[in-house]
Amino acid sequence: MLQKLKSDYLSWIVLIGAFFVLLDVFFFNRGLIFSLIVAIGMVYIGRKRTPKKTGTLLFWAGIFLLFVNVINMMAVKFFLLALLCFLIFQYANRKQKLNTIIPMIHEQNEDAGFHGQTIIKEQTLFQNRLFGHQQTPDHVYEWHDVNIQCGVGDSLIDLSNTVLPKGESIIFIRNIMGKVTVLIPYDVEVSIQHSVLFGSARILDFYETSLINRLIKVETGNYEQTDQKVKIFTSMMIGDIEVKRV
C-alpha cells in the first residue's frame, strides 16, 4: 500500500512538472526554447573542436548557459520543492514505524549458500558516474555485462582483452553527454541500437556526422545464427558513438 502511494506521488510530480514545463515555455518564457537550442549547439560544437582553446571556451560557455536556463525554469523549482516535500513525507513516515523487525542472519559456508543457493557478489567493470572517463582494463580481464548511467564523460570498452561467454553479451549505456567507443574482435557478431538527440555515429561501415533525434539499428549478417555475439544499447542526449573492429 505504501509503495503504491509513493508511486502515485511520483507520477503526480512528473505530470505536474511536465505541465509547468509547457506553461513556462509557451506562456511565461517563450524564448526559452531558442536559448536551450543555442546552449546545446554551443556545447556540441565546442566538444567537436576540443582540445582547441576556442572549442573549450565554447563548450564551457554552453554548459553555463544551459545551466542558467534550466535552473531558472519554473518546472525545476517545482521539482526541488516537490523533492523536499517527498523527503519530509518519507522522514515522517519512517518516524511512525514503532516496531522494528531485525532479521536473524545465520552465517553459512560458501557451498551451502542462502536457502540452498550460492550467492556470489562480483565486481562490475564500470560504475554509474556523473563526470569522468571510464574504460575497460588494458590487460586481460573477465567479462561481465555492462549496464551503466553516466552524466558527462566518455566510455571505452575493448572486447579484444576478454573472452566472451557463449550466448548473447549485453552492453547498456545511458549517457547525457560524451562519446561511447566499443572495440569488437573480428570473430564476434554484433547488434547495435543507438538513440541520440544530437551527435554522430561511426558504426562499422555506417557513418553519419549530423544526427538529430535519431534511432539507429545496425546488425551484422550472421548475428542470429552465431553462438557468440554482443548486443549494444546506447542512449544519449549529446554525443558520439564509435563501434569498430580490432
Side-chain angles (χ1 to χ4, degrees):
M1 181 66 181
L2 182 59
Q3 189 66 30
K4 183 178 184 304
L5 186 60
K6 292 179 183 178
S7 178
D8 290 342
Y9 271 116
L10 292 176
S11 299
W12 276 107
I13 289 173
V14 171
L15 288 174
I16 297 174
F19 170 76
F20 274 118
V21 168
L22 296 176
L23 198 66
D24 200 6
V25 169
F26 290 105
F27 293 98
F28 295 103
N29 194 356
R30 295 185 179 181
L32 182 63
I33 295 179
F34 177 76
S35 299
L36 290 176
I37 292 175
V38 170
I40 292 172
M42 290 173 62
V43 170
Y44 178 69
I45 296 173
R47 178 175 171 78
K48 280 289 187 181
R49 294 183 179 178
T50 52
K52 293 181 180 179
K53 189 174 182 179
T54 55
T56 304
L57 290 174
L58 193 62
F59 174 82
W60 286 109
I63 289 288
F64 177 76
L65 183 60
L66 190 64
F67 174 78
V68 170
N69 278 291
V70 170
I71 206 67
N72 285 326
M73 290 179 64
M74 186 187 302
V76 173
K77 297 174 183 177
F78 165 77
F79 273 116
L80 292 175
L81 180 61
L83 179 62
L84 178 62
C85 294
F86 184 75
L87 292 175
I88 293 174
F89 170 79
Q90 290 282 81
Y91 179 77
N93 182 70
R94 190 174 300 169
K95 282 292 186 180
Q96 291 177 0
K97 294 181 180 179
L98 300 179
N99 298 324
T100 303
I101 300 175
I102 302 176
M104 299 294 294
I105 301 177
H106 300 282
E107 292 187 0
Q108 301 182 9
N109 58 42
E110 186 178 355
D111 295 330
F114 183 73
H115 292 301
Q117 298 179 0
T118 301
I119 298 175
I120 302 174
K121 183 179 180 181
E122 298 180 342
Q123 182 66 34
T124 57
L125 293 172
F126 294 96
Q127 300 292 330
N128 291 341
R129 184 173 293 179
L130 190 58
F131 297 99
H133 172 80
Q134 295 191 86
Q135 68 178 59
T136 51
D138 55 2
H139 53 77
V140 177
Y141 64 90
E142 183 180 358
W143 172 254
H144 300 289
D145 287 347
V146 176
N147 182 10
I148 57 171
Q149 300 181 84
C150 304
V152 178
D154 300 336
S155 301
L156 170 62
I157 301 175
D158 187 352
L159 299 179
S160 64
N161 288 328
T162 188
V163 177
L164 295 173
K166 293 293 182 181
E168 192 173 63
S169 300
I170 302 295
I171 298 174
F172 202 142
I173 300 176
R174 293 167 294 273
N175 206 358
I176 296 177
M177 183 164 51
K179 181 178 181 179
V180 174
T181 304
V182 184
L183 307 180
I184 307 286
Y186 281 93
D187 58 342
V188 175
E189 302 296 320
V190 61
S191 174
I192 303 103
Q193 292 188 36
H194 176 61
S195 176
V196 63
L197 190 59
F198 299 99
S200 66
R202 185 188 292 271
I203 304 173
L204 302 179
D205 295 331
F206 173 86
Y207 179 59
E208 193 165 342
T209 56
S210 301
L211 298 175
I212 300 177
N213 196 25
R214 288 281 300 278
L215 176 63
I216 298 169
K217 182 175 181 181
V218 178
E219 187 173 288
T220 52
N222 297 323
Y223 183 81
E224 297 297 336
Q225 292 76 30
T226 190
D227 292 331
Q228 194 176 43
K229 50 193 175 183
V230 178
K231 177 161 283 189
I232 302 172
F233 298 93
T234 55
S235 176
M236 60 181 64
M237 291 184 62
I238 304 172
D240 309 323
I241 181 173
E242 182 177 12
V243 179
K244 62 181 179 180
R245 298 286 190 181
V246 290

